[in-house]
Amino acid sequence: MDSFLEEEAAATAVPAKRRPAAQPGSALLPALHLPASSSEQHLNFRSSKEACLSYIQDAMLQKQWKRAAEFLTFYVEALEKDYSREHTGPSEMIWRIGTEILCHHSRSSMKEFNSFIEQMKTLGVKRYLKVCLEHAFRLLCNGLIDEAYQILSVAESWRFGEQTAIQDKEMRLIQAYKGLLDYYSWSKQKNILLENEQDGSEDLSVEQEMHSCFRKAAVSLKEIIKMPGVWDQFVKCYVDLLEFYGDHNEARQVLNEYAYNSKFPANPNAHVYLYQFLKRHGEPRKSLISALKILHDIVPSHELMIDFNAMLQKSKKRKKRRLGLEVIFAALDYAGWKENVKAWNCLARQVKQIVISGKHLDWIKEEWNSRKDWWPAFHFSHYLAKRNWQENESLSCEKALVAGILLGKDCKYFKYVSHQGCKARVKRFRILKKFVNKHNPVYLRISGLSDSSVQP
Amino acid sequence: MEFPPALFPSYFIAGPPREERGPAPAAGWGEHGQVLEAGPGRRQAERTFVPRRGGTGESWEPADAAAVPLLPPSASCWVPSLTPQDILYHGLLRRKVRAGRGGAVRALDFTKQLSHFFVDHPEDAFGSLGQLLHKNFYLGNSRLKKPARDNTIRMTALMEEIERLEARRGCPRRYLASRLRWFSHLCRDWLFEVPLGLLGDCVHEELLLQWASLLFDDSLTGGALAWLPPEDPGTHTGCLVYPGGQAMNHLYFQDVVLEELPCTHGSPTRFELNGHIRQVAAARVDGEDFVGVRSDYHCGVWRVPGRVGAAPTPLQVIRTSVPASCLTVSPHLPGELAVCTQSGAVYLWSIETGLQRLRHDPQTMFFRDHSPWRWSDFTAHPRVLSCADRTGLQCLDARAPERCHFDLFKVGEEAGCQQGERVVLPMYLGRAHPSQHLVTTQFSVYVLDERLPLVPMLKWVHMMKAPPLFAHLMPGGPGRSHKLVLGASRTQELLLLQYQGGSQSACQLVGSPQKLHSITSCLQHLPTQLPHRHRLLQQRLAAPAAGLAATLQEDRLQESLLVFQLSEAGDVFCQRLTHEVAQPPAVSSGDEVAPAPGSSPLFESPSSRPPGLGREEEEEEEEEQTFYLSNLEVIINEEEEEEEEEEEEEEVGTPATLEEAELPQEPCASPQPALALPSPAAALRYRRWLKGLSKGCGDRPRQSRPFTVSQKRLFTRKELEGPAGPSPLHGQARRQLRQAMREGVRIQRWDPPAPQPPALPQPPEPAAGLDPLSARLTATWSGEWGQWWEERTSFSRAQRQRALRERRRRQKRARGRCSLSASFTSSLTYQSELSELSDVPPPPLSPDRPPVLPREGSPPCSSPRPSSVLEDTLLSSQSLRGRGIPKERRKTLRDYLAVWAEDPPEPAEPPSSQASQPCIPSSQSQLSSASQPRRKRPRMGF
């Protein structure tokens, strides 16, 4: 590997030297190399370059890193005559391929990687920020946080002419990641401080450093979360900072903006963060419900829907309880919830409640109407009854109750499970059977009496 | 259904894509994309980060050297699909295309197609008028008599004119002969059964359609291969569903036992359908498999019970008036499918309730695109379907399709797309995570989560040469990565990706992408074939892929991944990858270099050379690469081919060199470290498959096989045995070779230093009563036709011997001086004539071999052929003059003989027997080597 890198270094250094020298000494060059000599040679060079590249690709896709590295040393020659106007020139490819090889090569080390990347940074002005960012990522993934911070600060202070839109975006990301690292060192110092407080000792320098970290982090993080995007970790850190210093209004504003600004994507996490914030600060249930209502509208299958349902159940308003039923029905529509015992338990409890009370059967009816043509096959088939019984008894119990109420006591699911349950002499199944038999007329009311095609 | 607590950071900008870069060859490498804190490390202070791309994945190593045929080749013969050569104008292919790639001149050979039609279907083209005018056309050679001339025209002259035109094709200065012009002017309007303009329009339209489908055929999207895994993972018998038959209109359900090498079990269940099967889709609901089959105008659904050996039952068929472009099977509800047609309609098809149209919109969704292709798939909600066109994906609620829909993916800046990027294949990844979807474009792959639409959870530039039309997912259990195999059609590429996350953690692409074996890659492991067979085989193996299926198999702690690939020729190949749990920290297995003894000697694998030395190879390669990337044209570097011909004489005359260049991605041609040999079991499979192929398609190769006569039956064993022992000449040659090698010089001449000329095999003395013809035949038979010729031209035997001896002596003397005129009398005219001679590229082979005759009975490793010594005499000006041939005609004669000799040797000859060729003695070898240094094109960059 060492030799590979040396070659690499030598090869990359050569063109830089040779290019300026070519002009005075051009008489020394054989006529062949004059660019005017023929277009065909140029073409040949280009196509051999491409061939070389395809070998590299081939080797990399077969995980032959050593071979790819050997080819790359040839490919470096492509830098010499880089007249290409293409978007991805050879220098970018060398950076990408070289990075990939060094990530996987059995004998590469972080030191070599660093020196390679440093060379790559000099190869293209337009790509500088991107290379820096990737370099920092690599260091972060290897746990070298201080080094990454160093790289990010150097990159942050880099200026070159007018920035393109892409460079602007990259610069903001660099700042944001630097802010993130600042936040980490802030939280480290905070922990030290808290420990010290417990001990009773005080350290002013730590506190000062912590505050300076806070300022740096807050400034950079604030910048990026203004841009539309997915900034989960940055928002979380920023809110944490603000909360620590007691700026709840600002925090709430940030979270509201992140969740409700229409320029941002409909990120469920934004709503989750807002909900968690509201919950942390003991906000009234009403505002919690409204936060979750919006989440329900965006992602009816979110795991917080269980909490939402529970919250709505506790409410005294009929409308809310109605919404609760809707929420749990909607959640169970999704394939991912098919075997969620908690959700089935919620639904079973609610259905039972309604049936016992005898009121609001129309709620169930309404929910069931849009589902009766496919829920039986989706949830209550004979196959599922067998499998659920084998795999999860309590799930089958909850589902059997719902099936018995919604589809009547003759439904396959209920019949199979209650039969098996009685055979196994489990008490709850006997109770279940009794309950369903007792309330069988409910099924007729829900399914609208005349409709007999529901029977699966 | 948890949502990741934090996602990787990304910008979100609405609008059309801004970036324009086109296909970037290495854009998928070297990026982590973003990083995310992976939760606190072991200690609170320690933070760990995970990258979006480039995390460590599982290691899967190919178990065998190449893909192995799973099924015997289909008995019916495969009709090779259309190639660019068939419809492109040939004159342009070679030169023009080289210049540019994007703006390559693609001239469709319209006239050729039209003329094929006229020749193949004359009745349809000229039926009625042809019959009417039958009497008025005369095709004879003689002049027409007066009374007949009034109402009959002689067509012979016209035909000659047309032929001449054909001969001058490609000549810039060709003018239509006036007669032709006159004739066409006269007949154009009434001669044709179908008006020419209309016919031309139709042919042109069809040509354009064919061309478009040649460039990119989206009817195959989804793939026509499905694997139905066993119900109980303990049993190793699954079912493979694939199309077959000559028109790919038979549907097969074949039980396959997964072993070290999967093998078929029992005979397949076959259904004959009413069209070319384009897609086979399958999903398992409630322990039963539902298999949807799509052909252009029909879609059908079968049910396969979970038990092993249960027969599949057809359930329903629908007919569409517009070709269907998509058929997917619901993984949620039994007997539900989604169907799309090219008219822009999306249907939910339920076995019980029939078709429900969800949408009908001939326009594309987000911006205008001309493609009528539509796709639809299921989502986490059984009543919500995703529906796609080239511009993006939307999700529709089947209960209220007009009102309830949302955009899932848009080709735009939201997902960081490039300009010109188009959706190629969407797929629901429900088995990995209920709300994930895959979208492939010609540049990238995206993993989407329907809970956060428009923002891709993952994006990776896949760098495949053709757009991935097939994909197969193998979900990994908790803590494991999901495996995704992408497949392209035309290039047969297969790419294995791994990703993880989606619920507790954000989606990450892990491991490095891995290329799997394509069907063509097994070519180098097949037993060596005769060139024409090899070519056919190559053609067959390089047929575009038509489907992809894969399965995970656990077997005694060893986990393996089986990938099946179907080609348009109906071949199903499979390969196994094994999971290596403990990743060896040292060298990865691919790095070990081993020579490839299995590779065919015909196409010398460059792998045996170190990569640095393979420059020339690379040059040749690059040519292939060029045409390959431009995805239509063949560029044949003629110059190099000539060189090659000179260098490796074993390839002389085999058209395989040309053909090889036409094959896309010839893996054995890349200078890769060769893989290990195929296992004995695999080798056996190859042999069997090959046998089956030659048996099944026996008549085909025989037809295209050039006419040969077996030597075995021409000569008895005794006859051939004769000079088997090492003759003194042999020994001499050997000695000479050794000496030359020691001294490092080349052998100037093959003649033995003995004063005696090599013992001429004596011609059998002609029997007294032989007539001239039988004498000549006898002479020819024994390979001495040349001698016979000499004799006929009144050279007496003694004279000839003397002349020979004289020449040898002169040659010997000349070797010292090494002058050009050494072997001839030192006359200036001779010299000039000789240099003229030496311009004829390959040294003329023995003139005693008329091209149609099989090789004479001399042993393959023969001594310097006496006749070729004569040939010099024959060709020398002296002898020509001696025969009274005038000076100006001598050159013509010589050229003629040279051309004669240039004729390829019998193509059926196995290449190894050509080893004798370098031994051909020729006084010209010296000349040509001296006066004709090989012109090599200077190469830049190396």
Side-chain angles (χ1 to χ4, degrees):
Chain A
M1 194 60 222
D2 280 327
S3 62
F4 157 60
L5 255 189
E6 274 163 26
E7 267 180 69
E8 176 93 11
T12 40
V14 162
K17 281 177 201 159
R18 211 183 275 168
R19 255 187 221 162
Q23 280 141 359
S26 59
L28 297 173
L29 291 171
L32 259 179
H33 285 275
L34 288 175
S37 68
S38 81
S39 61
E40 197 172 331
Q41 282 167 14
H42 182 69
L43 189 73
N44 265 342
F45 179 65
R46 201 189 69 185
S47 38
S48 48
K49 213 169 73 185
E50 273 167 17
C52 186
L53 186 64
S54 77
Y55 296 151
I56 297 176
Q57 291 269 46
D58 207 57
M60 289 172 83
L61 286 172
Q62 296 178 47
K63 299 189 184 174
Q64 297 160 348
W65 305 110
K66 205 172 143 214
R67 204 176 126 239
E70 276 167 22
F71 274 123
L72 187 63
T73 55
F74 297 124
Y75 190 74
V76 168
E77 216 169 319
L79 282 177
E80 195 178 345
K81 288 193 187 348
D82 181 12
Y83 306 130
S84 62
R85 297 272 165 80
E86 288 147 33
H87 194 282
T88 34
S91 57
E92 175 167 351
M93 291 191 207
I94 288 169
W95 162 58
R96 286 181 179 278
I97 292 168
T99 310
E100 191 75 23
I101 291 172
L102 285 171
C103 278
H104 293 96
H105 201 290
S106 49
R107 275 179 289 158
S108 74
S109 70
M110 210 55 218
K111 203 175 132 212
E112 280 163 341
F113 182 80
N114 286 340
S115 68
F116 173 75
I117 288 290
E118 286 308 326
Q119 280 175 10
M120 288 300 116
K121 283 179 188 169
T122 61
L123 272 183
V125 171
K126 279 188 186 165
R127 220 174 27 251
Y128 179 81
L129 290 177
K130 176 120 182 146
V131 175
C132 286
L133 201 55
E134 284 293 332
H135 191 187
F137 288 162
R138 167 100 165 141
L139 292 169
L140 284 177
C141 291
N142 281 287
L144 303 165
I145 294 178
D146 294 339
E147 288 84 342
Y149 190 80
Q150 205 72 31
I151 297 288
L152 289 171
S153 345
V154 172
E156 195 191 14
S157 57
W158 181 80
R159 291 284 175 277
F160 181 83
E162 241 174 72
Q163 284 182 357
T164 60
I166 293 173
Q167 279 177 327
D168 198 40
K169 274 159 78 177
E170 279 159 357
M171 187 55 102
R172 277 172 200 269
L173 269 180
I174 285 173
Q175 285 164 352
Y177 275 106
K178 192 169 156 269
L180 189 70
L181 297 186
D182 277 327
Y183 165 79
Y184 289 147
S185 55
W186 172 83
S187 78
K188 206 163 143 190
Q189 256 125 30
K190 185 186 80 180
N191 287 339
I192 294 172
L193 214 62
L194 288 177
E195 273 171 29
N196 284 355
E197 255 173 42
Q198 277 173 355
D199 299 349
S201 58
E202 257 183 52
D203 194 343
L204 265 178
S205 67
V206 173
E207 202 175 333
Q208 263 174 0
E209 208 177 318
M210 183 179 112
H211 292 324
S212 86
C213 280
F214 158 71
R215 273 189 295 276
K216 280 191 275 183
V219 168
S220 347
L221 291 176
K222 198 178 170 182
E223 277 305 303
I224 191 104
I225 57 183
K226 278 185 201 157
M227 307 285 293
V230 177
W231 310 122
D232 289 357
Q233 57 179 350
F234 301 141
V235 168
K236 259 168 126 176
C237 295
Y238 188 52
V239 168
D240 191 25
L241 283 176
L242 293 176
E243 273 186 286
F244 185 78
Y245 286 97
D247 197 349
H248 297 308
N249 279 339
E250 168 81 6
R252 183 194 297 262
Q253 208 181 332
V254 164
L255 286 172
N256 268 320
E257 178 77 1
Y258 191 50
Y260 298 136
N261 190 334
S262 61
K263 279 185 183 162
F264 281 70
N267 186 353
N269 279 341
H271 300 274
V272 174
Y273 296 157
L274 180 65
Y275 166 72
Q276 284 167 346
F277 176 83
L278 295 175
K279 208 173 160 189
R280 265 203 305 275
H281 291 275
E283 295 285 329
R285 189 185 280 169
K286 201 180 150 195
S287 57
L288 291 181
I289 286 178
S290 70
L292 285 181
K293 173 79 175 65
I294 294 169
L295 181 62
H296 167 70
D297 289 343
I298 308 172
V299 187
S301 63
H302 200 277
E303 74 257 26
L304 277 182
M305 289 305 116
I306 297 273
D307 294 11
F308 187 37
N309 173 265
M311 214 184 285
L312 291 169
Q313 280 311 298
K314 281 180 206 151
S315 168
K316 290 197 178 94
K317 284 186 191 158
R318 268 188 16 213
K319 216 172 131 193
K320 296 252 167 80
R321 293 220 305 277
R322 167 86 211 258
L323 181 65
L325 192 68
E326 234 178 273
V327 165
I328 200 69
F329 259 110
L332 283 170
D333 279 350
Y334 285 87
W337 287 74
K338 240 180 144 174
E339 278 158 24
N340 192 321
V341 188
K342 244 188 199 167
W344 280 108
N345 182 23
C346 281
L347 181 64
R349 209 150 17 97
Q350 232 156 311
V351 166
K352 208 166 154 184
Q353 226 171 25
I354 291 173
V355 167
I356 289 172
S357 71
K359 284 187 278 183
H360 311 309
L361 273 176
D362 53 320
W363 293 358
I364 300 183
K365 190 179 169 182
E366 225 164 277
E367 292 300 323
W368 182 239
N369 256 342
S370 62
R371 294 182 171 87
K372 65 183 174 193
D373 55 335
W374 59 280
W375 264 41
F378 186 53
H379 284 309
F380 305 128
S381 67
H382 188 67
Y383 175 85
L384 279 177
K386 258 202 265 185
R387 226 186 63 189
N388 289 342
W389 173 256
Q390 275 167 13
E391 286 170 6
N392 194 340
E393 214 172 279
S394 58
L395 173 72
S396 67
C397 180
E398 306 289 356
K399 273 178 82 173
L401 176 76
V402 177
I405 302 273
L406 294 174
L407 290 165
K409 64 181 162 60
D410 292 329
C411 112
K412 282 178 198 163
Y413 194 96
F414 173 74
K415 254 168 94 178
Y416 181 85
V417 171
S418 62
H419 182 73
Q420 293 292 328
C422 292
K423 225 165 64 179
R425 296 175 189 282
V426 184
K427 197 182 164 196
R428 62 199 281 206
F429 285 97
R430 219 171 301 142
I431 298 169
L432 167 80
K433 201 171 174 180
K434 226 180 255 172
F435 181 82
V436 170
N437 280 335
K438 189 179 155 199
H439 294 282
N440 199 39
V442 172
Y443 143 70
L444 297 172
R445 277 179 65 191
I446 289 169
S447 56
L449 281 172
S450 57
D451 197 354
S452 59
S453 65
V454 180
Q455 270 297 72
Chain B
M1 281 243 289
E2 284 170 74
F3 194 75
L7 299 170
F8 285 102
S10 69
Y11 281 97
F12 180 79
I13 299 159
R18 291 177 200 168
E19 197 182 4
E20 45 175 327
R21 57 196 283 168
W29 301 117
E31 258 188 58
H32 280 323
Q34 299 288 342
V35 289
L36 191 66
E37 198 205 337
R42 268 154 273 158
R43 280 171 290 147
Q44 183 63 32
E46 216 175 70
R47 308 263 175 181
T48 51
F49 287 87
V50 288
R52 192 172 213 168
R53 195 195 93 69
T56 46
E58 295 167 13
S59 156
W60 291 88
E61 296 299 333
D64 223 326
V68 179
L70 174 70
L71 308 165
S74 52
S76 57
C77 209
W78 172 62
V79 183
S81 47
L82 194 73
T83 61
Q85 284 73 38
D86 294 335
I87 56 172
L88 277 188
Y89 183 56
H90 277 268
L92 289 170
L93 264 180
R94 294 203 167 192
R95 271 167 274 109
K96 287 236 176 153
V97 166
R98 238 182 176 195
R101 184 163 307 161
V105 190
R106 296 175 313 225
L108 297 173
D109 200 348
F110 171 70
T111 41
K112 191 173 85 182
Q113 300 301 323
L114 215 52
S115 67
H116 279 323
F117 174 70
F118 291 149
V119 172
D120 296 341
H121 307 275
E123 278 304 308
D124 300 329
F126 316 105
S128 45
L129 272 164
Q131 269 164 16
L132 275 177
L133 293 175
H134 181 65
K135 285 176 197 148
N136 305 63
F137 286 143
Y138 174 64
L139 284 164
N141 266 328
S142 60
R143 294 207 140 256
L144 282 167
K145 294 275 158 49
K146 184 68 190 163
R149 217 191 290 173
D150 290 341
N151 50 8
T152 310
I153 52 169
R154 222 187 96 200
M155 295 301 288
T156 324
L158 210 60
M159 298 296 287
E160 275 167 12
E161 205 98 46
I162 289 173
E163 261 156 36
R164 225 172 290 145
L165 206 67
E166 194 58 36
R168 278 189 302 179
R169 170 168 261 206
C171 169
R173 297 175 155 257
R174 59 167 170 193
Y175 303 104
L176 274 177
S178 57
R179 192 197 296 258
L180 281 179
R181 192 193 292 254
W182 160 81
F183 185 76
S184 73
H185 194 74
L186 198 68
C187 316
R188 179 178 284 166
D189 294 334
W190 49 263
L191 186 63
F192 303 95
E193 197 84 352
V194 184
L196 196 58
L198 187 65
L199 184 69
D201 279 352
C202 291
V203 170
H204 196 252
E205 197 179 317
E206 176 62 23
L207 265 179
L208 282 180
L209 272 178
Q210 293 283 355
W211 178 248
S213 79
L214 204 61
L215 286 182
F216 177 57
D217 187 5
D218 60 12
S219 66
L220 294 171
T221 310
L225 189 65
W227 170 255
L228 314 179
E231 167 77 334
D232 166 26
T235 57
H236 293 314
T237 308
C239 183
L240 199 66
V241 189
Y242 58 93
Q246 204 158 2
M248 293 293 252
N249 61 336
H250 293 190
L251 182 69
Y252 292 94
F253 292 83
Q254 170 74 63
D255 283 338
V256 173
V257 184
L258 303 178
E259 287 166 355
E260 185 79 11
L261 279 176
C263 58
T264 55
H265 172 76
S267 57
T269 316
R270 199 185 79 162
F271 293 90
E272 194 175 332
L273 309 188
N274 213 355
H276 187 129
I277 295 171
R278 306 280 182 188
Q279 191 197 345
V280 175
R284 170 160 296 177
V285 192
D286 283 0
E288 283 182 322
D289 287 297
F290 287 84
V291 178
V293 175
R294 167 171 68 90
S295 64
D296 280 342
Y297 295 96
H298 294 92
C299 295
V301 58
W302 272 256
R303 185 176 51 207
V304 187
R307 322 181 294 279
V308 177
T313 44
L315 296 180
Q316 224 170 54
V317 178
I318 53 166
R319 226 190 82 188
T320 58
S321 53
V322 186
S325 62
C326 152
L327 182 68
T328 45
V329 187
S330 168
H332 306 304
L333 295 173
E336 268 194 12
L337 299 99
V339 186
C340 296
T341 64
Q342 289 188 356
S343 63
V346 180
Y347 296 92
L348 178 64
W349 174 22
S350 165
I351 300 298
E352 278 163 28
T353 58
L355 288 170
Q356 181 197 353
R357 192 165 81 181
L358 303 183
R359 161 177 284 188
H360 180 80
D361 188 6
Q363 302 291 318
T364 45
M365 291 185 286
F366 300 111
F367 53 89
R368 194 167 297 176
D369 188 89
H370 68 273
S371 170
W373 175 87
R374 297 289 184 278
W375 195 264
S376 178
D377 210 334
F378 290 85
T379 67
H381 193 297
R383 282 286 148 244
V384 177
L385 268 72
S386 72
C387 97
D389 57 34
R390 295 272 177 239
T391 66
L393 265 83
Q394 260 187 357
C395 290
L396 304 176
D397 194 320
R399 293 165 298 185
E402 272 79 43
R403 283 185 293 113
C404 299
H405 56 81
F406 65 91
D407 303 341
L408 179 59
F409 177 77
K410 232 187 243 186
V411 173
E413 195 62 27
E414 290 92 344
C417 297
Q418 299 176 34
Q419 287 180 10
E421 197 163 342
R422 294 290 180 270
V423 174
V424 172
L425 173 76
M427 193 170 92
Y428 174 51
L429 300 177
R431 290 195 298 143
H433 188 280
S435 55
Q436 278 177 347
H437 293 259
L438 172 82
V439 170
T440 66
T441 66
Q442 71 269 48
F443 304 129
S444 308
V445 283
Y446 301 86
V447 174
L448 302 164
D449 193 312
E450 55 189 77
R451 293 169 294 180
L452 176 49
L454 296 176
V455 181
M457 296 283 116
L458 268 187
K459 177 191 173 177
W460 185 64
V461 182
H462 57 63
M463 304 180 285
M464 284 166 84
K465 283 159 188 149
L469 280 178
F470 320 121
H472 193 99
L473 170 80
M474 280 151 290
R480 300 284 303 274
S481 64
H482 308 301
K483 269 70 74 180
L484 197 58
V485 185
L486 300 179
S489 169
R490 202 171 34 77
T491 50
Q492 295 186 350
E493 286 163 285
L494 286 179
L495 201 63
L496 174 69
L497 304 179
Q498 297 174 45
Y499 78 98
Q500 62 186 31
S503 53
Q504 268 118 33
S505 60
C507 260
Q508 277 174 274
L509 200 64
V510 293
S512 60
Q514 200 175 342
K515 197 171 104 178
L516 307 185
H517 300 303
S518 61
I519 294 179
T520 18
S521 67
C522 78
L523 187 70
Q524 54 184 325
H525 300 295
L526 291 172
T528 313
Q529 298 288 304
L530 293 178
H532 64 282
R533 285 274 180 95
H534 187 92
R535 208 173 65 234
L536 283 174
L537 196 62
Q538 217 166 20
Q539 204 178 24
R540 167 106 180 194
L541 292 176
L548 164 70
T551 180
L552 274 176
Q553 181 207 358
E554 267 173 83
D555 198 13
R556 297 186 306 263
L557 305 170
Q558 173 71 61
E559 221 182 336
S560 53
L561 183 80
L562 279 156
V563 181
F564 302 95
Q565 202 180 10
L566 169 78
S567 81
E568 270 189 358
D571 298 320
V572 178
F573 277 62
C574 69
Q575 56 191 303
R576 205 162 63 95
L577 291 107
T578 50
H579 183 204
E580 264 147 51
V581 184
Q583 216 164 344
V587 200
S588 62
S589 70
D591 285 348
E592 273 110 39
V593 181
S599 62
S600 144
L602 238 194
F603 301 99
E604 189 194 21
S605 162
S607 54
S608 47
R609 298 182 196 174
L613 297 177
R615 291 272 156 84
E616 214 156 297
E617 219 68 42
E618 279 176 26
E619 284 267 300
E620 287 164 32
E621 280 301 311
E622 124 235 314
E623 291 297 337
E624 287 186 22
Q625 205 62 32
T626 315
F627 88 80
Y628 169 59
L629 287 173
S630 65
N631 73 25
L632 36 133
E633 288 88 1
V634 185
I635 293 151
I636 296 154
N637 192 336
E638 283 168 303
E639 234 174 88
E640 260 166 18
E641 212 171 83
E642 258 167 46
E643 265 177 42
E644 199 179 57
E645 266 175 23
E646 278 167 38
E647 281 164 15
E648 319 174 354
E649 294 202 342
E650 58 178 27
E651 292 215 357
V652 172
T654 56
T657 28
L658 292 178
E659 293 303 310
E660 192 189 30
E662 286 167 25
L663 263 186
Q665 184 93 60
E666 182 54 54
C668 71
S670 72
Q672 53 182 275
L675 286 160
L677 269 178
S679 64
L684 187 69
R685 282 274 179 100
Y686 288 135
R687 275 205 301 280
R688 272 198 205 141
W689 186 81
L690 214 56
K691 214 185 228 173
L693 185 71
S694 56
K695 212 185 275 171
C697 297
D699 44 350
R700 231 187 97 76
R702 215 167 289 150
Q703 269 169 14
S704 61
R705 195 172 171 171
F707 174 74
T708 53
V709 178
S710 161
Q711 286 188 346
K712 272 182 203 154
R713 287 174 204 158
L714 272 179
F715 301 99
T716 59
R717 176 182 287 260
K718 227 179 226 171
E719 270 175 307
L720 289 171
E721 239 166 25
S727 67
L729 212 61
H730 240 109
Q732 213 148 50
R734 208 167 278 161
R735 236 171 292 134
Q736 218 174 333
L737 254 177
R738 271 205 204 104
Q739 194 187 349
M741 278 159 76
R742 246 200 321 276
E743 290 168 11
V745 294
R746 63 175 135 177
I747 298 166
Q748 300 275 343
R749 191 164 311 222
W750 272 108
D751 51 34
Q756 274 289 329
L760 292 168
Q762 295 299 319
E765 279 303 309
L770 273 183
D771 59 325
L773 178 66
S774 45
R776 183 176 161 192
L777 280 176
T778 322
T780 315
W781 194 251
S782 52
E784 272 134 15
W785 180 75
Q787 272 180 347
W788 177 84
W789 172 259
E790 299 273 296
E791 273 168 5
R792 289 288 294 174
T793 47
S794 79
F795 262 59
S796 84
R797 240 182 106 67
Q799 257 176 320
R800 227 171 46 241
Q801 292 236 345
R802 220 178 304 131
L804 267 175
R805 250 177 239 143
E806 169 83 332
R807 230 189 77 225
R808 294 266 174 225
R809 219 172 303 134
R810 258 186 267 128
Q811 279 173 351
K812 250 174 83 189
R813 246 183 284 136
R815 210 186 311 161
R817 285 179 278 145
C818 206
S819 88
L820 282 179
S821 57
S823 50
F824 300 93
T825 47
S826 56
S827 141
L828 271 175
T829 49
Y830 292 161
Q831 261 196 13
S832 65
E833 274 169 7
L834 276 171
S835 50
E836 243 173 69
L837 242 183
S838 64
D839 283 340
V840 181
L845 302 180
S846 44
D848 59 333
R849 196 169 48 164
V852 281
L853 273 181
R855 225 181 169 153
E856 63 278 75
S858 58
C861 211
S862 68
S863 53
R865 245 178 267 149
S867 47
S868 53
V869 181
L870 295 176
E871 147 214 328
D872 292 324
T873 3
L874 192 73
L875 282 176
S876 77
S877 308
Q878 199 182 21
S879 66
L880 294 178
R881 192 170 36 183
R883 269 167 243 157
I885 295 166
K887 201 182 169 191
E888 56 272 27
R889 302 201 61 177
R890 274 175 228 156
K891 168 114 181 41
T892 323
L893 180 64
R894 238 181 264 125
D895 283 351
Y896 168 67
L897 286 172
V899 166
W900 200 15
E902 259 177 331
D903 267 337
E906 293 87 337
E909 205 170 73
S912 59
S913 74
Q914 288 175 350
S916 64
Q917 284 198 354
C919 315
I920 293 171
S922 159
S923 60
Q924 279 184 17
S925 65
Q926 183 196 8
L927 294 174
S928 60
S929 60
S931 67
Q932 202 188 15
R934 180 164 297 135
R935 287 189 301 265
K936 268 205 173 166
R937 255 187 320 130
R939 289 187 178 111
M940 218 167 176
F942 290 108

